[in-house]
Amino acid sequence: MENVNFTPKEILQKQFRQKMRGYDPDDVDSFLDNVIKDYDTFVKENQRLQEENERLLAKVDELTKQVSVGASQPAATTTSQATSSVTNMDILKRLSNLERHVFGSQLDNDPNESHRL
């Protein structure tokens, strides 16, 4: 907040010189009280947003690291998925052969051949 000229306290403590045909001091004080409230609200909101920004930047850094670590591992994941698929296919073939052996010709004569691999 380098570009800020006044703090709420400085606004509150500001004393104006009085002249004969000047403004009503009570009106000026009332107005400045409202300015101080708004200014204080803006300062708090600015601080909250800066903290949120820092938190989100840290989260982006964390997620970027996770993505970079994950990008170096897809070959291993693909290989394990392929092995898993082959293993599942082998199991299904064995199960189908076992069914044929146990039930014999009942499965061979079935018009619905969706069970065969």
Side-chain angles (χ1 to χ4, degrees):
M1 297 193 29
E2 301 86 32
N3 297 334
V4 176
N5 294 321
F6 302 107
T7 65
K9 185 177 179 181
E10 290 172 335
I11 295 170
L12 179 63
Q13 294 176 346
K14 175 67 176 167
Q15 295 292 319
F16 294 95
R17 293 175 280 161
Q18 292 185 358
K19 294 198 174 191
M20 271 185 87
R21 297 188 120 208
Y23 296 104
D24 180 15
D26 293 332
D27 285 344
V28 172
D29 287 342
S30 175
F31 178 77
L32 288 177
D33 287 342
N34 291 330
V35 170
I36 290 169
K37 289 177 188 174
D38 287 348
Y39 195 85
D40 195 36
T41 301
F42 290 132
V43 168
K44 288 177 183 176
E45 180 68 8
N46 190 19
Q47 288 173 345
R48 185 190 69 78
L49 290 172
Q50 285 177 344
E51 290 170 0
E52 182 179 4
N53 190 35
E54 289 172 9
R55 180 184 61 80
L56 291 173
L57 287 173
K59 186 71 172 178
V60 166
D61 289 342
E62 177 185 332
L63 292 174
T64 303
K65 288 177 186 175
Q66 289 178 2
V67 167
S68 66
V69 168
S72 65
Q73 296 178 349
T77 304
T78 305
T79 304
S80 68
Q81 287 176 347
T83 304
S84 176
S85 298
V86 169
T87 304
N88 290 340
M89 187 58 98
D90 289 339
I91 290 171
L92 290 173
K93 285 180 181 178
R94 289 179 184 177
L95 182 61
S96 178
N97 290 336
L98 181 62
E99 286 176 342
R100 267 197 222 110
H101 180 71
V102 170
F103 296 110
S105 63
Q106 291 175 356
L107 290 176
D108 290 334
N109 295 332
D110 189 7
N112 181 8
E113 296 184 12
S114 62
H115 63 278
R116 291 187 181 181
L117 297 176

